[in-house]
Amino acid sequence: MFRGKWLSLDRILEQLNDASLKILEKTGVKFFHQEILRILQNSGIKVIGQTAFFSSHQILDWISKAPVTFSVYARNPQHDIEIGGDRIELAAGYGAPVIIDEKGNRRPALFSDYKNFVKLIHQCPLFNINGGILVQPADLGVGESFPLMLYAAMIYSDKALIAGAGGEKETNIVFNMLDIVFGKESLRSRPRIMTIINS
């Protein structure tokens, strides 16, 4: 409700879209990687310090280039997914730092917990996506956690993959792993993995 009136879902989504475009243009987004800032600036984006300001025209132009739908291919074709359009795909929760056992005791999540979650998700017919940061294993270092979690997801599941992004080094390791399993050319024509990125 807004000012005593019920708004339609379309109107609410329109207001969220307008507010998002305003934030991108007026407040901007702070980036922490100099190469990305250089690429943005060379692409016509206004950059002040570490903050990039995107005009609504630039955002809408780039969005118009995105496909309405795209596919992510699993090792097992039964789990191939299509994102977009009217399709909905579910993925498990993301980034839990602790495990709570059946007695309510809390403890740090471990890599063994991660592997157990990968196996559980593989068995669940509601999910065609597996991997990512199902839990953040406290017994793995930051630099090794993303590749090892992806390795576990590839060993224990044949569903479409999602993975943690990590830094440049971790991302290169992840892509080298995918090249070994699927082949470099295959990745170009048949996307095999998704990730969540931020500035």
mmCIF file of all heavy atoms in Angstrom, residues 37-53:
data_model
loop_
_atom_site.group_PDB
_atom_site.id
_atom_site.type_symbol
_atom_site.label_atom_id
_atom_site.label_comp_id
_atom_site.label_asym_id
_atom_site.label_seq_id
_atom_site.Cartn_x
_atom_site.Cartn_y
_atom_site.Cartn_z
ATOM 1 N N LEU A 37 37.488 -0.427 -13.502
ATOM 2 C CA LEU A 37 37.209 1.012 -13.597
ATOM 3 C C LEU A 37 37.693 1.569 -14.935
ATOM 4 O O LEU A 37 37.015 2.382 -15.557
ATOM 5 C CB LEU A 37 37.866 1.755 -12.431
ATOM 6 C CG LEU A 37 37.208 1.518 -11.062
ATOM 7 C CD1 LEU A 37 38.140 1.967 -9.943
ATOM 8 C CD2 LEU A 37 35.875 2.235 -10.979
ATOM 9 N N ARG A 38 38.862 1.095 -15.386
ATOM 10 C CA ARG A 38 39.383 1.543 -16.678
ATOM 11 C C ARG A 38 38.466 1.094 -17.814
ATOM 12 O O ARG A 38 38.147 1.872 -18.717
ATOM 13 C CB ARG A 38 40.800 0.998 -16.885
ATOM 14 C CG ARG A 38 41.491 1.539 -18.134
ATOM 15 C CD ARG A 38 42.798 0.823 -18.433
ATOM 16 N NE ARG A 38 42.631 -0.588 -18.718
ATOM 17 C CZ ARG A 38 42.128 -1.075 -19.860
ATOM 18 N NH1 ARG A 38 41.739 -0.262 -20.819
ATOM 19 N NH2 ARG A 38 42.019 -2.375 -20.047
ATOM 20 N N ILE A 39 38.020 -0.151 -17.773
ATOM 21 C CA ILE A 39 37.116 -0.672 -18.809
ATOM 22 C C ILE A 39 35.813 0.124 -18.820
ATOM 23 O O ILE A 39 35.314 0.498 -19.898
ATOM 24 C CB ILE A 39 36.839 -2.180 -18.580
ATOM 25 C CG1 ILE A 39 38.094 -2.995 -18.868
ATOM 26 C CG2 ILE A 39 35.668 -2.660 -19.434
ATOM 27 C CD1 ILE A 39 38.023 -4.444 -18.420
ATOM 28 N N LEU A 40 35.269 0.410 -17.640
ATOM 29 C CA LEU A 40 34.032 1.190 -17.565
ATOM 30 C C LEU A 40 34.225 2.573 -18.168
ATOM 31 O O LEU A 40 33.412 3.036 -18.975
ATOM 32 C CB LEU A 40 33.555 1.304 -16.113
ATOM 33 C CG LEU A 40 33.028 0.023 -15.468
ATOM 34 C CD1 LEU A 40 32.842 0.220 -13.970
ATOM 35 C CD2 LEU A 40 31.741 -0.418 -16.126
ATOM 36 N N GLN A 41 35.300 3.225 -17.789
ATOM 37 C CA GLN A 41 35.572 4.568 -18.298
ATOM 38 C C GLN A 41 35.755 4.558 -19.818
ATOM 39 O O GLN A 41 35.221 5.420 -20.517
ATOM 40 C CB GLN A 41 36.809 5.135 -17.602
ATOM 41 C CG GLN A 41 36.864 6.635 -17.599
ATOM 42 C CD GLN A 41 37.828 7.151 -16.538
ATOM 43 O OE1 GLN A 41 38.750 6.457 -16.122
ATOM 44 N NE2 GLN A 41 37.612 8.373 -16.100
ATOM 45 N N ASN A 42 36.471 3.564 -20.332
ATOM 46 C CA ASN A 42 36.666 3.445 -21.784
ATOM 47 C C ASN A 42 35.373 3.113 -22.515
ATOM 48 O O ASN A 42 35.280 3.291 -23.723
ATOM 49 C CB ASN A 42 37.733 2.398 -22.105
ATOM 50 C CG ASN A 42 39.133 2.854 -21.723
ATOM 51 O OD1 ASN A 42 39.368 4.042 -21.489
ATOM 52 N ND2 ASN A 42 40.051 1.910 -21.635
ATOM 53 N N SER A 43 34.375 2.631 -21.782
ATOM 54 C CA SER A 43 33.070 2.314 -22.377
ATOM 55 C C SER A 43 32.083 3.467 -22.244
ATOM 56 O O SER A 43 30.890 3.300 -22.504
ATOM 57 C CB SER A 43 32.493 1.056 -21.708
ATOM 58 O OG SER A 43 33.329 -0.048 -21.928
ATOM 59 N N GLY A 44 32.576 4.616 -21.804
ATOM 60 C CA GLY A 44 31.714 5.792 -21.734
ATOM 61 C C GLY A 44 30.989 5.980 -20.418
ATOM 62 O O GLY A 44 30.105 6.839 -20.310
ATOM 63 N N ILE A 45 31.357 5.226 -19.403
ATOM 64 C CA ILE A 45 30.741 5.357 -18.082
ATOM 65 C C ILE A 45 31.477 6.456 -17.320
ATOM 66 O O ILE A 45 32.703 6.522 -17.324
ATOM 67 C CB ILE A 45 30.835 4.033 -17.288
ATOM 68 C CG1 ILE A 45 30.261 2.871 -18.091
ATOM 69 C CG2 ILE A 45 30.172 4.152 -15.928
ATOM 70 C CD1 ILE A 45 28.827 3.017 -18.476
ATOM 71 N N LYS A 46 30.706 7.310 -16.665
ATOM 72 C CA LYS A 46 31.305 8.355 -15.823
ATOM 73 C C LYS A 46 31.891 7.698 -14.577
ATOM 74 O O LYS A 46 31.188 6.987 -13.855
ATOM 75 C CB LYS A 46 30.246 9.394 -15.443
ATOM 76 C CG LYS A 46 30.800 10.534 -14.581
ATOM 77 C CD LYS A 46 29.764 11.632 -14.422
ATOM 78 C CE LYS A 46 29.050 11.460 -13.106
ATOM 79 N NZ LYS A 46 28.120 12.563 -12.804
ATOM 80 N N VAL A 47 33.182 7.930 -14.335
ATOM 81 C CA VAL A 47 33.875 7.369 -13.179
ATOM 82 C C VAL A 47 34.507 8.506 -12.403
ATOM 83 O O VAL A 47 35.243 9.324 -12.966
ATOM 84 C CB VAL A 47 34.951 6.345 -13.601
ATOM 85 C CG1 VAL A 47 35.756 5.867 -12.403
ATOM 86 C CG2 VAL A 47 34.318 5.167 -14.330
ATOM 87 N N ILE A 48 34.219 8.564 -11.105
ATOM 88 C CA ILE A 48 34.845 9.531 -10.197
ATOM 89 C C ILE A 48 35.448 8.729 -9.054
ATOM 90 O O ILE A 48 34.728 8.092 -8.285
ATOM 91 C CB ILE A 48 33.830 10.566 -9.669
ATOM 92 C CG1 ILE A 48 33.209 11.350 -10.830
ATOM 93 C CG2 ILE A 48 34.496 11.491 -8.657
ATOM 94 C CD1 ILE A 48 32.095 12.296 -10.410
ATOM 95 N N GLY A 49 36.777 8.757 -8.972
ATOM 96 C CA GLY A 49 37.457 7.935 -7.965
ATOM 97 C C GLY A 49 37.197 6.471 -8.245
ATOM 98 O O GLY A 49 37.517 5.975 -9.321
ATOM 99 N N GLN A 50 36.602 5.779 -7.284
ATOM 100 C CA GLN A 50 36.275 4.365 -7.453
ATOM 101 C C GLN A 50 34.789 4.151 -7.752
ATOM 102 O O GLN A 50 34.338 3.013 -7.802
ATOM 103 C CB GLN A 50 36.630 3.578 -6.187
ATOM 104 C CG GLN A 50 38.119 3.396 -5.975
ATOM 105 C CD GLN A 50 38.375 2.514 -4.776
ATOM 106 O OE1 GLN A 50 38.033 2.864 -3.656
ATOM 107 N NE2 GLN A 50 38.981 1.356 -5.014
ATOM 108 N N THR A 51 34.054 5.224 -7.960
ATOM 109 C CA THR A 51 32.612 5.119 -8.161
ATOM 110 C C THR A 51 32.248 5.350 -9.621
ATOM 111 O O THR A 51 32.683 6.324 -10.238
ATOM 112 C CB THR A 51 31.858 6.118 -7.267
ATOM 113 O OG1 THR A 51 32.254 5.899 -5.902
ATOM 114 C CG2 THR A 51 30.359 5.940 -7.378
ATOM 115 N N ALA A 52 31.440 4.426 -10.156
ATOM 116 C CA ALA A 52 30.952 4.523 -11.538
ATOM 117 C C ALA A 52 29.481 4.914 -11.511
ATOM 118 O O ALA A 52 28.713 4.423 -10.686
ATOM 119 C CB ALA A 52 31.133 3.190 -12.253
ATOM 120 N N PHE A 53 29.097 5.811 -12.410
ATOM 121 C CA PHE A 53 27.731 6.310 -12.498
ATOM 122 C C PHE A 53 27.164 5.915 -13.866
ATOM 123 O O PHE A 53 27.710 6.304 -14.900
ATOM 124 C CB PHE A 53 27.708 7.830 -12.327
ATOM 125 C CG PHE A 53 28.267 8.277 -11.010
ATOM 126 C CD1 PHE A 53 29.635 8.499 -10.861
ATOM 127 C CD2 PHE A 53 27.438 8.462 -9.914
ATOM 128 C CE1 PHE A 53 30.163 8.909 -9.645
ATOM 129 C CE2 PHE A 53 27.955 8.874 -8.693
ATOM 130 C CZ PHE A 53 29.322 9.095 -8.557
#
